[in-house]
Amino acid sequence: MIHISETLALQTIEDFLDAEELTQLAKIVDADPAASRPRRSQAEVVAAPAAAEEILRRATERALPAVRRALPSVHGAGPWGYTELGPGDEVPTHLDGIPSPGVRPRRIGRVGVTIADADEGGLFYVETTSSGAPWTGALVGEAEGFAPGTPLTRCFPHEAAAARSHAAEPDWLARTPTTRWTTPAPAGVAVAYGAQLIHGVTPVVRGRVRKFVTDLLA
């Protein structure tokens, strides 16, 4: 049964990828036309190349015990995606939420890992708040696979945020007072986070971020 704490969790896996795997993944995306082509929009995510997917699948299996300490309901991950951020690019503040809590498999979190960090900027962050603005007032329970009375946040997912400017943020998100927690995890360190956490990536100032992301499924 999924608890609200899992949807708000933050967990790092420091040994998610080793040096050899980082080198292999960089070579794979360099050689893949779909991964290296220009993005249609800022922070666009494309499907990871098949060879990269296999490396990341093995890494995910190794990491599941650590992930489950914070998100014990997670049984696996979805297909991996790949994104690059260059100077001026960012992932705007957004909130994935759980739009279909009764549909299996349930996406209760995400995990991301960089294979190359920017020289400056491009840092993943989460934002916490005591405000009620992000919450819908809806509750789910055992029928959906959650602890009784689990509240749900609104949804403003990555795709919508990447396609719009900060000026076009939903009113509820723009007016929410938050505290930002930046996580400068180096390349190879995975960051797992709950689907009901506000999060994003700061603008890249110099260099380029190369990153893989996937869903955590319960």
Side-chain angles (χ1 to χ4, degrees):
M1 192 171 294
I2 302 163
H3 193 272
I4 186 175
S5 62
E6 298 182 65
T7 72
L8 298 171
L10 184 65
Q11 173 76 19
T12 54
I13 305 97
E14 281 69 25
D15 54 355
F16 187 80
L17 295 173
D18 61 28
E20 182 178 351
E21 290 168 328
L22 286 171
T23 299
Q24 290 176 329
L25 288 167
K27 290 179 179 178
I28 290 167
V29 293
D30 284 342
D32 187 89
S36 59
R37 68 173 171 78
R39 299 293 185 262
R40 290 191 298 269
S41 63
Q42 182 169 275
E44 179 191 2
V45 178
V46 299
E53 178 74 34
E54 178 59 24
I55 293 171
L56 293 162
R57 183 191 62 78
R58 293 196 302 266
T60 303
E61 290 177 354
R62 293 195 306 261
L64 274 179
V67 171
R68 287 176 177 146
R69 293 189 190 110
L71 296 97
S73 298
V74 168
H75 67 76
W80 284 83
Y82 175 74
T83 190
E84 292 187 5
L85 300 173
D89 290 341
E90 64 181 310
V91 177
T93 303
H94 64 286
L95 177 55
D96 298 323
I98 306 174
S100 302
V103 178
R104 297 174 182 267
R106 302 169 184 85
R107 184 180 78 168
I108 63 168
R110 296 271 280 172
V111 61
V113 60
T114 62
I115 60 170
D117 295 316
D119 298 322
E120 184 179 354
L123 298 178
F124 177 79
Y125 62 84
V126 299
E127 293 184 347
T128 54
T129 181
S130 60
S131 170
W135 301 92
T136 64
L139 303 176
V140 292
E142 293 184 27
E144 296 84 10
F146 290 77
T150 298
L152 296 177
T153 60
R154 303 174 191 269
C155 299
F156 181 53
H158 176 121
E159 295 80 3
R164 300 164 69 181
S165 67
H166 278 298
E169 281 184 354
D171 289 344
W172 61 265
L173 183 56
R175 69 171 182 263
T176 300
T178 64
T179 298
R180 179 171 292 189
W181 305 79
T182 304
T183 56
V189 175
V191 180
Y193 51 97
Q196 299 199 124
L197 268 179
I198 300 170
H199 61 283
V201 176
T202 64
V204 174
V205 179
R206 291 185 296 110
R208 181 168 295 273
V209 173
R210 312 178 82 187
K211 186 171 188 174
F212 288 95
V213 293
T214 191
D215 296 330
L216 292 173
L217 305 175

Short mmCIF file of all heavy atoms in Angstrom, two decimals, residues 107-151:
data_model
loop_
_atom_site.label_atom_id
_atom_site.label_comp_id
_atom_site.label_asym_id
_atom_site.label_seq_id
_atom_site.Cartn_x
_atom_site.Cartn_y
_atom_site.Cartn_z
N ARG A 107 2.69 5.52 -11.40
CA ARG A 107 3.94 6.27 -11.38
C ARG A 107 3.95 7.12 -10.11
O ARG A 107 3.28 8.14 -10.02
CB ARG A 107 4.06 7.17 -12.61
CG ARG A 107 5.41 7.89 -12.66
CD ARG A 107 5.53 8.76 -13.87
NE ARG A 107 4.79 10.01 -13.71
CZ ARG A 107 4.92 11.06 -14.52
NH1 ARG A 107 5.72 11.00 -15.57
NH2 ARG A 107 4.23 12.15 -14.32
N ILE A 108 4.72 6.69 -9.11
CA ILE A 108 4.73 7.43 -7.84
C ILE A 108 6.01 8.24 -7.67
O ILE A 108 6.16 8.94 -6.67
CB ILE A 108 4.54 6.50 -6.63
CG1 ILE A 108 5.68 5.48 -6.50
CG2 ILE A 108 3.20 5.79 -6.71
CD1 ILE A 108 5.69 4.75 -5.17
N GLY A 109 6.92 8.15 -8.63
CA GLY A 109 8.15 8.93 -8.53
C GLY A 109 8.93 8.89 -9.83
O GLY A 109 8.49 8.31 -10.83
N ARG A 110 10.09 9.52 -9.79
CA ARG A 110 11.00 9.57 -10.93
C ARG A 110 12.41 9.37 -10.41
O ARG A 110 12.69 9.56 -9.21
CB ARG A 110 10.92 10.94 -11.62
CG ARG A 110 9.58 11.25 -12.25
CD ARG A 110 9.48 10.76 -13.67
NE ARG A 110 10.12 11.66 -14.61
CZ ARG A 110 10.30 11.36 -15.90
NH1 ARG A 110 9.93 10.20 -16.37
NH2 ARG A 110 10.86 12.23 -16.72
N VAL A 111 13.32 9.01 -11.30
CA VAL A 111 14.73 8.95 -10.95
C VAL A 111 15.51 9.49 -12.14
O VAL A 111 15.18 9.23 -13.30
CB VAL A 111 15.18 7.51 -10.58
CG1 VAL A 111 14.98 6.55 -11.73
CG2 VAL A 111 16.62 7.50 -10.10
N GLY A 112 16.53 10.29 -11.84
CA GLY A 112 17.37 10.87 -12.88
C GLY A 112 18.84 10.70 -12.53
O GLY A 112 19.20 10.66 -11.36
N VAL A 113 19.66 10.59 -13.57
CA VAL A 113 21.11 10.48 -13.36
C VAL A 113 21.80 11.20 -14.50
O VAL A 113 21.46 11.02 -15.67
CB VAL A 113 21.56 9.00 -13.27
CG1 VAL A 113 21.22 8.23 -14.54
CG2 VAL A 113 23.04 8.89 -12.95
N THR A 114 22.77 12.05 -14.17
CA THR A 114 23.54 12.73 -15.20
C THR A 114 24.75 11.88 -15.57
O THR A 114 25.32 11.16 -14.75
CB THR A 114 24.03 14.13 -14.76
OG1 THR A 114 24.88 13.98 -13.62
CG2 THR A 114 22.86 15.03 -14.39
N ILE A 115 25.14 11.99 -16.86
CA ILE A 115 26.39 11.36 -17.28
C ILE A 115 27.45 12.43 -17.55
O ILE A 115 28.62 12.10 -17.75
CB ILE A 115 26.19 10.45 -18.51
CG1 ILE A 115 25.66 11.24 -19.71
CG2 ILE A 115 25.27 9.29 -18.16
CD1 ILE A 115 25.67 10.44 -21.01
N ALA A 116 27.01 13.70 -17.56
CA ALA A 116 27.94 14.82 -17.66
C ALA A 116 27.27 16.04 -17.06
O ALA A 116 26.11 16.33 -17.37
CB ALA A 116 28.33 15.09 -19.11
N ASP A 117 27.97 16.74 -16.19
CA ASP A 117 27.44 17.93 -15.53
C ASP A 117 27.89 19.19 -16.25
O ASP A 117 28.95 19.22 -16.89
CB ASP A 117 27.91 17.99 -14.07
CG ASP A 117 27.36 16.85 -13.24
OD1 ASP A 117 26.17 16.55 -13.39
OD2 ASP A 117 28.13 16.26 -12.46
N ALA A 118 27.10 20.25 -16.13
CA ALA A 118 27.50 21.54 -16.67
C ALA A 118 28.66 22.10 -15.86
O ALA A 118 28.86 21.74 -14.69
CB ALA A 118 26.32 22.50 -16.62
N ASP A 119 29.43 22.99 -16.46
CA ASP A 119 30.51 23.66 -15.73
C ASP A 119 29.95 24.62 -14.68
O ASP A 119 30.56 24.84 -13.64
CB ASP A 119 31.41 24.43 -16.71
CG ASP A 119 32.08 23.52 -17.71
OD1 ASP A 119 32.48 22.41 -17.32
OD2 ASP A 119 32.19 23.91 -18.89
N GLU A 120 28.77 25.17 -14.99
CA GLU A 120 28.10 26.06 -14.04
C GLU A 120 26.60 26.00 -14.30
O GLU A 120 26.15 26.06 -15.44
CB GLU A 120 28.59 27.50 -14.19
CG GLU A 120 28.01 28.47 -13.18
CD GLU A 120 28.54 29.89 -13.34
OE1 GLU A 120 29.44 30.08 -14.18
OE2 GLU A 120 28.04 30.79 -12.64
N GLY A 121 25.83 25.88 -13.21
CA GLY A 121 24.38 25.80 -13.34
C GLY A 121 23.92 24.39 -13.70
O GLY A 121 24.67 23.42 -13.63
N GLY A 122 22.64 24.27 -14.07
CA GLY A 122 22.10 22.98 -14.46
C GLY A 122 21.93 22.02 -13.30
O GLY A 122 22.10 20.81 -13.47
N LEU A 123 21.55 22.54 -12.12
CA LEU A 123 21.43 21.71 -10.93
C LEU A 123 19.97 21.33 -10.67
O LEU A 123 19.07 22.17 -10.74
CB LEU A 123 21.98 22.45 -9.70
CG LEU A 123 23.46 22.82 -9.76
CD1 LEU A 123 23.85 23.60 -8.50
CD2 LEU A 123 24.33 21.58 -9.90
N PHE A 124 19.75 20.06 -10.35
CA PHE A 124 18.42 19.59 -9.98
C PHE A 124 18.04 20.16 -8.62
O PHE A 124 18.87 20.29 -7.72
CB PHE A 124 18.40 18.06 -9.93
CG PHE A 124 17.09 17.47 -9.50
CD1 PHE A 124 16.05 17.37 -10.40
CD2 PHE A 124 16.91 17.04 -8.20
CE1 PHE A 124 14.83 16.83 -10.01
CE2 PHE A 124 15.69 16.50 -7.80
CZ PHE A 124 14.65 16.39 -8.71
N TYR A 125 16.75 20.50 -8.46
CA TYR A 125 16.27 21.00 -7.17
C TYR A 125 14.86 20.49 -6.90
O TYR A 125 14.12 20.11 -7.82
CB TYR A 125 16.28 22.53 -7.12
CG TYR A 125 15.38 23.21 -8.12
CD1 TYR A 125 14.02 23.41 -7.87
CD2 TYR A 125 15.88 23.66 -9.35
CE1 TYR A 125 13.20 24.03 -8.80
CE2 TYR A 125 15.06 24.28 -10.28
CZ TYR A 125 13.72 24.46 -10.00
OH TYR A 125 12.90 25.07 -10.93
N VAL A 126 14.50 20.46 -5.61
CA VAL A 126 13.12 20.26 -5.20
C VAL A 126 12.71 21.46 -4.37
O VAL A 126 13.56 22.18 -3.83
CB VAL A 126 12.93 18.95 -4.39
CG1 VAL A 126 13.33 17.75 -5.21
CG2 VAL A 126 13.71 19.00 -3.08
N GLU A 127 11.41 21.70 -4.31
CA GLU A 127 10.88 22.79 -3.50
C GLU A 127 9.81 22.24 -2.56
O GLU A 127 8.92 21.50 -2.99
CB GLU A 127 10.29 23.88 -4.39
CG GLU A 127 11.35 24.59 -5.21
CD GLU A 127 10.82 25.75 -6.05
OE1 GLU A 127 9.58 25.86 -6.18
OE2 GLU A 127 11.64 26.54 -6.56
N THR A 128 9.95 22.58 -1.29
CA THR A 128 8.98 22.16 -0.29
C THR A 128 8.15 23.36 0.15
O THR A 128 8.59 24.51 0.04
CB THR A 128 9.68 21.53 0.92
OG1 THR A 128 10.67 22.45 1.44
CG2 THR A 128 10.37 20.23 0.55
N THR A 129 6.96 23.08 0.66
CA THR A 129 6.07 24.15 1.08
C THR A 129 5.04 23.65 2.07
O THR A 129 4.66 22.47 2.04
CB THR A 129 5.34 24.76 -0.14
OG1 THR A 129 4.50 25.84 0.31
CG2 THR A 129 4.48 23.73 -0.85
N SER A 130 4.60 24.53 2.95
CA SER A 130 3.49 24.20 3.86
C SER A 130 2.17 24.72 3.30
O SER A 130 1.12 24.51 3.89
CB SER A 130 3.73 24.82 5.24
OG SER A 130 3.83 26.24 5.13
N SER A 131 2.22 25.38 2.14
CA SER A 131 1.02 25.94 1.53
C SER A 131 0.08 24.84 1.06
O SER A 131 0.52 23.77 0.62
CB SER A 131 1.41 26.82 0.34
OG SER A 131 0.27 27.20 -0.41
N GLY A 132 -1.19 25.11 1.11
CA GLY A 132 -2.18 24.17 0.60
C GLY A 132 -2.42 24.32 -0.89
O GLY A 132 -3.16 23.52 -1.49
N ALA A 133 -1.78 25.31 -1.52
CA ALA A 133 -2.06 25.60 -2.93
C ALA A 133 -1.80 24.43 -3.88
O ALA A 133 -2.56 24.24 -4.83
CB ALA A 133 -1.27 26.83 -3.38
N PRO A 134 -0.74 23.63 -3.67
CA PRO A 134 -0.51 22.53 -4.63
C PRO A 134 -1.50 21.37 -4.50
O PRO A 134 -1.53 20.50 -5.37
CB PRO A 134 0.91 22.06 -4.27
CG PRO A 134 1.53 23.18 -3.52
CD PRO A 134 0.40 23.79 -2.76
N TRP A 135 -2.30 21.34 -3.45
CA TRP A 135 -3.15 20.18 -3.19
C TRP A 135 -4.56 20.40 -3.74
O TRP A 135 -5.11 21.49 -3.67
CB TRP A 135 -3.19 19.90 -1.69
CG TRP A 135 -1.83 19.64 -1.14
CD1 TRP A 135 -0.96 20.55 -0.61
CD2 TRP A 135 -1.13 18.39 -1.13
NE1 TRP A 135 0.22 19.95 -0.26
CE2 TRP A 135 0.15 18.62 -0.57
CE3 TRP A 135 -1.48 17.10 -1.53
CZ2 TRP A 135 1.08 17.60 -0.40
CZ3 TRP A 135 -0.55 16.09 -1.37
CH2 TRP A 135 0.72 16.34 -0.82
N THR A 136 -5.14 19.33 -4.28
CA THR A 136 -6.45 19.43 -4.91
C THR A 136 -7.60 19.31 -3.92
O THR A 136 -8.71 19.74 -4.21
CB THR A 136 -6.64 18.31 -5.94
OG1 THR A 136 -6.61 17.04 -5.27
CG2 THR A 136 -5.55 18.36 -7.00
N GLY A 137 -7.35 18.70 -2.76
CA GLY A 137 -8.43 18.38 -1.83
C GLY A 137 -8.97 16.98 -2.03
O GLY A 137 -9.72 16.47 -1.18
N ALA A 138 -8.61 16.32 -3.14
CA ALA A 138 -9.04 14.95 -3.40
C ALA A 138 -8.24 13.97 -2.55
O ALA A 138 -7.04 14.19 -2.29
CB ALA A 138 -8.88 14.61 -4.87
N LEU A 139 -8.89 12.89 -2.12
CA LEU A 139 -8.25 11.85 -1.34
C LEU A 139 -8.44 10.51 -2.03
O LEU A 139 -9.46 10.25 -2.66
CB LEU A 139 -8.85 11.78 0.07
CG LEU A 139 -8.81 13.05 0.92
CD1 LEU A 139 -9.55 12.81 2.24
CD2 LEU A 139 -7.38 13.47 1.19
N VAL A 140 -7.43 9.65 -1.93
CA VAL A 140 -7.54 8.28 -2.43
C VAL A 140 -7.28 7.32 -1.27
O VAL A 140 -6.83 7.73 -0.19
CB VAL A 140 -6.57 8.02 -3.59
CG1 VAL A 140 -6.98 8.81 -4.81
CG2 VAL A 140 -5.13 8.34 -3.19
N GLY A 141 -7.55 6.04 -1.51
CA GLY A 141 -7.40 5.06 -0.45
C GLY A 141 -7.13 3.67 -0.97
O GLY A 141 -6.54 3.49 -2.04
N GLU A 142 -7.62 2.67 -0.25
CA GLU A 142 -7.30 1.28 -0.55
C GLU A 142 -7.77 0.87 -1.93
O GLU A 142 -7.11 0.04 -2.60
CB GLU A 142 -7.92 0.38 0.52
CG GLU A 142 -7.29 0.55 1.89
CD GLU A 142 -7.87 -0.42 2.90
OE1 GLU A 142 -8.33 -1.51 2.48
OE2 GLU A 142 -7.86 -0.11 4.09
N ALA A 143 -8.86 1.40 -2.41
CA ALA A 143 -9.37 1.03 -3.74
C ALA A 143 -8.37 1.37 -4.84
O ALA A 143 -8.31 0.68 -5.87
CB ALA A 143 -10.70 1.73 -4.01
N GLU A 144 -7.56 2.41 -4.61
CA GLU A 144 -6.55 2.81 -5.59
C GLU A 144 -5.16 2.28 -5.25
O GLU A 144 -4.20 2.57 -5.97
CB GLU A 144 -6.49 4.33 -5.69
CG GLU A 144 -7.75 5.00 -6.21
CD GLU A 144 -8.79 5.23 -5.11
OE1 GLU A 144 -8.44 5.05 -3.91
OE2 GLU A 144 -9.92 5.58 -5.45
N GLY A 145 -5.04 1.57 -4.13
CA GLY A 145 -3.75 1.02 -3.74
C GLY A 145 -2.95 1.93 -2.82
O GLY A 145 -1.76 1.69 -2.60
N PHE A 146 -3.59 2.96 -2.26
CA PHE A 146 -2.94 3.91 -1.37
C PHE A 146 -3.44 3.75 0.05
O PHE A 146 -4.52 3.20 0.29
CB PHE A 146 -3.19 5.35 -1.84
CG PHE A 146 -2.49 5.73 -3.11
CD1 PHE A 146 -2.95 5.31 -4.35
CD2 PHE A 146 -1.34 6.51 -3.07
CE1 PHE A 146 -2.30 5.66 -5.51
CE2 PHE A 146 -0.68 6.87 -4.23
CZ PHE A 146 -1.16 6.45 -5.46
N ALA A 147 -2.67 4.25 1.02
CA ALA A 147 -3.13 4.29 2.40
C ALA A 147 -4.39 5.15 2.46
O ALA A 147 -4.50 6.15 1.75
CB ALA A 147 -2.05 4.88 3.30
N PRO A 148 -5.36 4.77 3.28
CA PRO A 148 -6.62 5.53 3.34
C PRO A 148 -6.37 7.01 3.64
O PRO A 148 -5.57 7.37 4.49
CB PRO A 148 -7.37 4.86 4.49
CG PRO A 148 -6.84 3.47 4.53
CD PRO A 148 -5.39 3.60 4.17
N GLY A 149 -7.06 7.87 2.88
CA GLY A 149 -6.97 9.30 3.11
C GLY A 149 -5.74 9.97 2.54
O GLY A 149 -5.36 11.05 2.98
N THR A 150 -5.09 9.34 1.55
CA THR A 150 -3.90 9.94 0.94
C THR A 150 -4.31 11.11 0.05
O THR A 150 -5.08 10.93 -0.89
CB THR A 150 -3.13 8.91 0.10
OG1 THR A 150 -2.70 7.84 0.95
CG2 THR A 150 -1.92 9.55 -0.57
N PRO A 151 -3.80 12.32 0.32
CA PRO A 151 -4.17 13.48 -0.51
C PRO A 151 -3.37 13.52 -1.81
O PRO A 151 -2.26 12.98 -1.90
CB PRO A 151 -3.82 14.67 0.39
CG PRO A 151 -2.71 14.17 1.26
CD PRO A 151 -2.97 12.70 1.47
#
